[in-house]
């Protein structure tokens, strides 16, 4: 029997891709209802669909597959108790976020007149994204310090340091943690008053992980009293109704698009399609959008080459100006974004 699939209409490359295998219905992610999924077998989502009891109870859903690396929009406990498989696209947009962070760093280096050899970069969260950022930063010449308590506890041979050690040593801090709201490794409101007070005077703060990792009020205070010199913000609290004061204070501000690369989106879609294939025994294990060329990583790119080329692929200054001028179009900007091409 062909599985019935409800999919967020903003997941790219799906149109016509599953005609031979499944019956696909598209809906706007934020508007998917319990009625839509009641008789469906699988649900393809992004972050805008809250997959909880209110949506899934009483449905025939057997698989929730998200085309995103995060899963905080999915009630994992409810799914487990009700026999619903959850699949994510972990790592799909890592290289896209890497290139977003490097675009920000390149822009800041030009604005403030520094080179990587002048700076210590702190990476908080060394998973799929953070590990790439750390590797390329070292290659470009930054002194790199890493903090990842869960990984450190699991393997104490890693050369990581604690958050308390990292904060005062770094000229730039970039955050790449998952959102966890409780427990030993809680990250919600991690970047609070204490966090910013312990950062090095004049340091730069970058967040492209989850908005809830930051206390808006704490970051605004740190920027206004000039303890923090600059902020780069891609993920926000209360999206799309973001904090306008923080928007105005940020040097670079973008509408949650750090991972919006062509290849990242293709990999995210491939992940949900392959999950469908695994769950329902369909020949989709190697599926990838035929219209997209996978990235060929260039680990030899130099900092000078990056400075000369990055704006051809990602103009973070232009994107910031658009959002600051029309913040009310935050969601529309995301939905109509022209995906960037990964080139290193």
């Amino acid at each position: 029997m062909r599985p019935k699939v409800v999919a967020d209409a903003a997941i790219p490359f799906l149109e016509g891709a599953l005609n031979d295998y499944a019956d696909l219905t598209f809906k706007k992610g934020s508007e998917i209802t319990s009625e839509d999924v009641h008789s469906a077998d699988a649900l393809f989502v992004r972050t805008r669909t809250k997959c909880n009891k209110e949506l899934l109870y009483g449905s025939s859903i057997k698989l929730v597959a998200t085309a995103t690396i995060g899963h905080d929009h999915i009630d994992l406990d409810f799914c487990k108790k009700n026999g619903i498989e959850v699949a994510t696209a972990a790592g799909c947009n890592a290289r896209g976020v890497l290139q977003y962070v490097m675009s920000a760093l390149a822009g800041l280096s030009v604005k403030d007149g520094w080179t990587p050899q002048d700076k210590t970069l702190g990476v908080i969260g060394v998973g799929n994204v953070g590990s790439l950022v750390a590797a390329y930063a070292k290659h470009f010449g930054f002194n790199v310090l890493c903090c990842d308590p869960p990984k450190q506890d699991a393997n104490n041979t890693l050369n990581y340091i604690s958050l308390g050690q990292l904060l005062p040593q770094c000229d730039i801090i970039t955050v790449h943690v998952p959102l966890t709201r409780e427990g030993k490794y809680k990250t919600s409101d991690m970047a609070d008053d204490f966090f910013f007070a312990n950062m090095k005077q004049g340091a730069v703060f970058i967040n492209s992980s989850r908005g809830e990792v930051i206390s808006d009020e704490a970051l605004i205070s740190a920027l206004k009293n000039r303890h923090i010199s600059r902020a780069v913000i891609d993920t926000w609290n209360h999206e799309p109704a973001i904090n306008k004061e923080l928007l105005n204070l940020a040097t670079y501000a973008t509408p949650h698009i750090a991972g919006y690369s062509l290849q990242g989106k293709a990999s995210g879609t491939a992940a949900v399609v392959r999950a469908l294939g695994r769950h329902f025994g369909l020949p989709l294990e190697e599926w990838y959008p035929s219209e997209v060329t996978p990235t060929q990583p260039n680990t030899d790119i130099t900092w000078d080459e990056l400075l000369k080329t990055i704006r051809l692929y990602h103009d973070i200054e232009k994107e910031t100006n658009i959002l600051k001028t029309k913040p009310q179009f935050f969601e529309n900007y995301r939905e109509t974004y022209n995906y960037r091409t990964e080139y290193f």
Side-chain angles (χ1 to χ4, degrees):
M1 181 178 293
R2 292 163 62 91
K4 296 178 181 179
V5 182
V6 175
D8 185 324
I11 297 175
F13 314 118
L14 274 178
E15 191 69 50
L18 298 178
N19 286 352
D20 294 337
Y21 307 106
D23 296 324
L24 207 56
T25 300
F26 291 100
K27 289 274 293 188
K28 185 174 181 179
S30 59
E31 297 177 359
I32 294 174
T33 67
S34 58
E35 290 183 4
D36 295 322
V37 305
H38 181 74
S39 60
D41 301 298
L43 180 59
F44 290 173
V45 299
R46 301 183 309 139
T47 57
R48 291 304 187 249
T49 305
K50 304 305 179 186
C51 301
N52 50 24
K53 180 179 180 180
E54 288 71 25
L55 180 70
L56 299 172
Y57 183 77
S59 76
S60 56
I61 292 290
K62 303 172 185 67
L63 169 70
V64 173
T66 181
T68 62
I69 61 173
H71 51 71
D72 45 278
H73 52 295
I74 302 172
D75 187 333
L76 299 179
D77 288 339
F78 175 84
C79 289
K80 183 177 181 179
K81 289 175 183 176
N82 288 273
I84 300 172
E85 180 188 351
V86 174
T88 74
C92 70
N93 65 357
R95 199 160 288 269
V97 179
L98 161 73
Q99 295 183 20
Y100 173 91
V101 172
M102 292 307 161
S103 174
L105 292 176
L108 294 175
S109 75
V110 173
K111 282 181 183 294
D112 296 334
W114 50 259
T115 66
Q117 289 74 18
D118 302 327
K119 299 295 180 182
T120 295
L121 176 72
V123 179
I124 302 175
V126 196
N128 289 307
V129 177
S131 59
L132 265 183
V133 171
Y136 271 85
K138 289 176 183 176
H139 168 72
F140 288 136
F142 288 92
N143 177 40
V144 178
L145 300 177
C146 294
C147 173
D148 193 316
K151 287 185 180 294
Q152 183 71 48
D153 287 351
N155 182 0
N156 62 16
T157 65
L158 294 171
N159 190 27
Y160 297 164
I161 61 176
S162 70
L163 189 62
Q165 292 171 311
L166 180 140
L167 292 174
Q169 294 189 64
C170 296
D171 303 292
I172 305 161
I173 288 176
T174 181
V175 179
H176 303 286
V177 298
L179 177 62
T180 51
R181 293 188 171 87
E182 56 187 23
K184 182 178 180 181
Y185 305 117
K186 176 176 175 286
T187 60
S188 62
D189 285 328
M190 176 186 74
D192 57 9
D193 286 317
F194 181 84
F195 180 103
F196 292 115
N198 281 275
M199 281 178 65
K200 189 175 182 179
Q201 176 70 42
V204 172
F205 177 78
I206 302 172
N207 184 35
S208 56
S209 58
R210 284 290 183 267
E212 294 91 334
V213 168
I214 306 173
S215 162
D216 287 353
E217 293 73 19
L219 179 53
I220 288 169
S221 176
L223 286 165
K224 290 176 76 172
N225 67 30
R226 299 186 181 179
H227 186 71
I228 303 301
S229 64
R230 296 188 184 278
V232 178
I233 308 296
D234 180 64
T235 52
W236 306 76
N237 281 294
H238 312 301
E239 293 177 10
I242 63 176
N243 189 302
K244 301 301 194 306
E245 186 175 14
L246 181 55
L247 172 65
N248 290 329
L249 287 169
T251 300
Y252 294 132
T254 49
H256 201 156
I257 48 75
Y260 274 31
S261 66
L262 186 66
Q263 289 81 5
K265 286 297 179 182
S267 294
T269 302
V272 301
V273 170
R274 293 175 184 183
L276 184 79
R278 288 193 301 272
H279 190 98
F280 293 98
L282 304 172
L284 297 167
E285 294 86 354
E286 303 298 322
W287 187 90
Y288 189 86
S290 59
E291 60 266 52
V292 180
T293 301
T295 303
Q296 299 298 317
N298 176 9
T299 56
D300 295 324
I301 185 172
T302 67
W303 182 254
D304 286 342
E305 289 172 337
L306 177 75
L307 293 179
K308 292 174 183 175
T309 56
I310 191 67
R311 289 190 68 173
L312 299 174
Y313 296 88
H314 183 217
D315 191 340
I316 196 170
E317 199 92 44
K318 179 181 177 181
E319 293 184 349
T320 295
N321 290 338
I322 292 172
L323 184 61
K324 287 194 173 192
T325 301
K326 295 182 178 179
Q328 69 272 25
F329 293 131
F330 185 102
E331 200 71 356
N332 179 259
Y333 192 2
R334 293 187 82 222
E335 301 291 349
T336 59
Y337 190 78
N338 186 22
Y339 301 132
R340 312 183 304 272
T341 298
E342 295 173 5
Y343 77 107
F344 66 84

